[in-house]
Amino acid sequence: MIQLKSIKKSYPSKNGAVEALSGIDLSIRQGEIFGIIGYSGAGKSTLIRLINRLEQPTSGRLIVDGKEISSLSKKELREARKDIGMIFQHFNLLWSRTVKGNISFPLEVAGVKKAERKKRVQELIKLVGLEGRENAYPSQLSGGQKQRVGIARALANNPKVLLCDEATSALDPKTTNSILDLLLNINKKLGLTIVMITHEMHVVKKICHKVAVLDTGKIVEEGNVLDVFQNPKMAITKEFVKQITHQEEADEAVDLMKQTHPSGTIIKLLFKGDSAKRPIINELFQRQRVEINILEGNISQTQNGAFGTLTLLIDGNIREIKSAIDYIEQQGVGVEVIQDAAQLIS
């Protein structure tokens, strides 16, 4: 659905060109919710603005639904943009228009007849859950309601792609979750391709199928959300994953246990997919003659399945501990030995 091939974007400055994006290659499939995450200044907003050509790439090819957006004429671009909706962090609503008026605006611009506009607006108001607020003005709406208007407006022309530029950054956590649930519902109902620009890993975890990590204008890591969360390779990705795994608190718990139990064996279990549902600890108690203390644990759900970790302190006979570790690995659960005073693993 969306392909970026060797995309570069530079801006002129007094000291020469500043490169915002450096050779971006990206492929987003139809119906996918694709997250692009990075810190401020990474080039996220520039990247998303290239997709609907609010920005023109310096070089490279950008293809959306078979059309090379980067080379369209102004007239062709206006037509192509009907297939690309966009929502923003600060809503960008028309404050002099009601909810109905805001949603209707792109239909008016497109020359849609009044009766058809009215019908479409009512469909969208129902879709985004704003029944009863049709005649309210933006100043009378909460942040979440304003964003719902923004989403409805972006969907007015039945686009094939929805671009979300930090769409939940201005919202509180509860409202953020409700907006993400709405986007997930829209994706499933309409088969819409959604591109999420964000610096919040919670957003990626909750609704995205795939994620790309952007750092100083380059994609440094990419893949299925579950795979990236389970095995982040780059330092910046590991920082983002810590946002939702509470890894810093886990490390503190492990460090404390190393001091108080220097002769104990500490292992981290790595769960993914169906293995996250297995009652591993209960099975260990029944099968192995070892003492088990749970130090910390975290299970998270993504669109690709569950993943998580569980850190254990195991005491007992060396052979029994080795047998317990072997059994865990046989169940499809990864094992990382953090402290192995008995040097069980050579």
Side-chain angles (χ1 to χ4, degrees):
M1 173 57 78
I2 302 173
Q3 289 182 300
L4 287 80
K5 299 182 178 182
S6 302
I7 289 290
K8 293 185 178 182
K9 178 62 181 178
S10 299
Y11 295 98
S13 73
K14 293 180 180 179
N15 300 318
V18 175
E19 199 166 58
L21 295 174
S22 308
I24 299 293
D25 289 296
L26 203 60
S27 182
I28 301 173
R29 294 183 301 181
Q30 162 146 25
E32 218 165 42
I33 304 180
F34 197 104
I36 299 173
I37 192 165
Y39 291 120
S40 297
K44 304 187 304 297
S45 292
T46 299
L47 178 56
I48 202 169
R49 287 168 64 86
L50 289 174
I51 295 176
N52 62 1
R53 224 179 89 182
L54 289 173
E55 297 270 4
Q56 176 72 21
T58 304
S59 64
R61 300 177 63 204
L62 204 158
I63 301 164
V64 179
D65 195 26
K67 300 172 186 174
E68 188 158 346
I69 297 292
S70 48
S71 62
L72 295 180
S73 68
K74 289 184 178 180
K75 182 179 178 181
E76 291 170 332
L77 182 59
R78 282 195 296 270
E79 286 300 309
R81 279 178 175 159
K82 291 179 182 178
D83 288 332
I84 307 172
M86 189 166 184
I87 58 176
F88 306 87
Q89 178 180 358
H90 296 297
F91 321 124
N92 289 12
L93 301 181
L94 299 170
W95 294 87
S96 61
R97 283 187 170 230
T98 62
V99 168
K100 288 191 299 185
N102 269 281
I103 299 171
S104 178
F105 182 70
L107 297 170
E108 295 170 25
V109 172
V112 177
K113 293 181 179 180
K114 186 175 181 180
E116 190 177 341
R117 286 203 313 264
K118 185 177 180 181
K119 180 183 177 183
R120 180 61 177 155
V121 168
Q122 287 304 314
E123 290 173 352
L124 290 166
I125 284 173
K126 183 177 180 180
L127 178 66
V128 301
L130 285 173
E131 298 99 322
R133 303 295 286 161
E134 295 93 332
N135 297 312
Y137 288 89
S139 61
Q140 299 170 310
L141 302 175
S142 67
Q145 289 171 331
K146 290 173 188 173
Q147 195 57 285
R148 287 172 186 270
V149 177
I151 293 170
R153 181 184 59 186
L155 297 176
N157 284 311
N158 290 299
K160 297 176 182 178
V161 174
L162 180 62
L163 307 178
C164 306
D165 189 4
E166 299 280 9
T168 60
S169 294
L171 306 175
D172 63 78
K174 184 177 179 181
T175 306
T176 290
N177 279 328
S178 71
I179 294 299
L180 294 178
D181 286 337
L182 173 61
L183 291 173
L184 192 56
N185 181 52
I186 288 169
N187 169 258
K188 290 177 178 177
K189 271 188 177 180
L190 307 180
L192 199 64
T193 304
I194 299 178
V195 182
M196 300 286 299
I197 293 291
T198 184
H199 63 271
E200 300 172 295
M201 208 58 165
H202 167 71
V203 171
V204 174
K205 184 195 79 169
K206 186 173 176 67
I207 72 168
C208 294
H209 302 110
K210 286 188 176 179
V211 61
V213 182
L214 195 64
D215 186 28
T216 60
K218 298 177 182 178
I219 291 177
V220 297
E221 194 159 354
E222 180 190 350
N224 289 330
V225 169
L226 186 58
D227 294 334
V228 171
F229 278 33
Q230 179 74 20
N231 187 30
K233 294 180 175 62
M234 305 300 291
I236 187 173
T237 312
K238 291 175 182 178
E239 289 179 12
F240 278 120
V241 171
K242 283 181 180 180
Q243 291 181 11
I244 49 105
T245 59
H246 308 289
Q247 189 58 47
E248 290 179 3
E249 293 89 335
D251 290 344
E252 289 176 3
V254 169
D255 287 342
L256 179 61
M257 195 57 62
K258 284 181 178 179
Q259 296 172 25
T260 57
H261 290 73
S263 62
T265 297
I266 300 175
I267 63 173
K268 179 187 287 186
L269 310 189
L270 309 172
F271 298 94
K272 179 179 176 180
D274 290 340
S275 68
K277 302 174 184 178
R278 290 287 305 274
I280 295 294
I281 302 304
N282 183 51
E283 293 173 6
L284 280 177
F285 276 125
Q286 293 179 9
R287 291 173 174 268
Q288 309 294 329
R289 289 178 292 180
V290 291
E291 293 182 5
I292 300 172
N293 288 308
I294 298 174
L295 305 185
E296 64 83 30
N298 182 282
I299 299 291
S300 294
Q301 190 69 39
T302 74
Q303 291 302 308
N304 305 115
F307 78 99
T309 63
L310 187 64
T311 306
L312 308 177
L313 171 69
I314 304 180
D315 278 320
N317 177 277
I318 292 176
R319 290 184 179 179
E320 291 292 345
I321 295 174
K322 180 66 167 64
S323 176
I325 292 174
D326 289 342
Y327 175 76
I328 294 169
E329 291 178 330
Q330 290 166 11
Q331 309 313 306
V333 177
V335 178
E336 176 186 341
V337 178
I338 297 172
Q339 174 175 285
D340 184 13
Q343 296 185 351
L344 300 173
I345 307 299
S346 58

